[in-house]
Amino acid sequence: MKRMTVREVSLAAVIAAVYAALTLFLPIPQYDYIQVRVAEAMTVLPFFFPAATPGLFIGCVIANLFSPFVLDIVFGSLATLLACLWTGRMKNRWLAPLPPVVCNAVIVGGEITFTQVGTASAFWKVFAFNAFTVGFGELLACYVFGGVLLSVLYRTPVCRAQIAPERLEQLRGFSER
């Protein structure tokens, strides 16, 4: 495992604070069956900045401490961690928001369903609804807000200077689109 530089640790800390603050203080549903957690737009950041992953995970843990779903602390945070790790491995900028959508739809949708009905026979029907609603909210957060975030960061000279050269090489041609 690579040691993190002071700059990377600082970036992770700022990201954790922003994620937690957005989740806790925005007056929109963040923890319910139908939710749009705007902070999840930040889960696209590992596409450019691998150091964002620990920050997003810690920020999510902090935010989920306030969730009405006790399992959210473990499983919601795990969904964000897995999504960030997967996003960091994506080769295509347009697919970078997909891992958070899939991970949260499946994991958080399952967690909410288990909280609602346990392992009753209605589990799969309720899961389908919860996975759809969580996934749709995540789709809005990641593709709309996260897509804008990716576009802005890529075009901002200060941020672009921090993006790994091999990632920039993969993205060659995106700035013209």
Side-chain angles (χ1 to χ4, degrees):
M1 181 173 192
K2 177 185 158 248
R3 290 184 64 165
M4 293 179 69
T5 66
V6 172
R7 176 176 278 172
E8 290 170 332
V9 171
S10 299
L11 176 65
V14 168
I15 288 171
V18 171
Y19 184 101
L22 285 173
T23 302
L24 295 172
F25 299 119
L26 283 179
I28 55 175
Q30 306 281 343
Y31 299 106
D32 219 340
Y33 314 111
I34 298 174
Q35 57 178 282
V36 179
R37 191 178 278 195
V38 175
E40 283 289 305
M42 296 173 65
T43 58
V44 300
L45 292 176
F47 183 74
F48 288 144
F49 313 107
T53 298
L56 289 164
F57 175 67
I58 291 166
C60 189
V61 169
I62 292 167
N64 285 340
L65 290 172
F66 298 90
S67 173
F69 303 104
V70 177
L71 295 175
D72 213 16
I73 298 166
V74 174
F75 293 104
S77 303
L78 178 64
T80 296
L81 177 62
L82 291 174
C84 289
L85 292 171
W86 187 8
T87 298
R89 293 187 179 352
M90 296 303 285
K91 302 292 183 207
N92 184 317
R93 172 184 154 201
W94 305 108
L95 293 177
L98 184 62
V101 174
V102 172
C103 290
N104 280 280
V106 172
I107 296 170
V108 175
E111 165 210 325
I112 292 172
T113 303
F114 183 77
T115 301
Q116 289 176 317
V117 298
T119 57
S121 61
F123 180 88
W124 292 109
K125 288 180 185 176
V126 176
F127 171 74
F129 174 78
N130 287 331
F132 174 76
T133 58
V134 170
F136 185 73
E138 196 74 13
L139 186 88
L140 289 175
C142 293
Y143 271 96
V144 175
F145 302 122
V148 169
L149 188 60
L150 283 174
S151 294
V152 169
L153 290 175
Y154 180 70
R155 290 182 172 93
T156 306
V158 170
C159 294
R160 190 180 176 106
Q162 302 305 314
I163 299 172
E166 57 273 6
R167 181 61 79 179
L168 285 173
E169 193 60 36
Q170 283 179 323
L171 296 172
R172 187 170 302 281
F174 278 118
S175 61
E176 293 84 37
R177 295 179 188 177

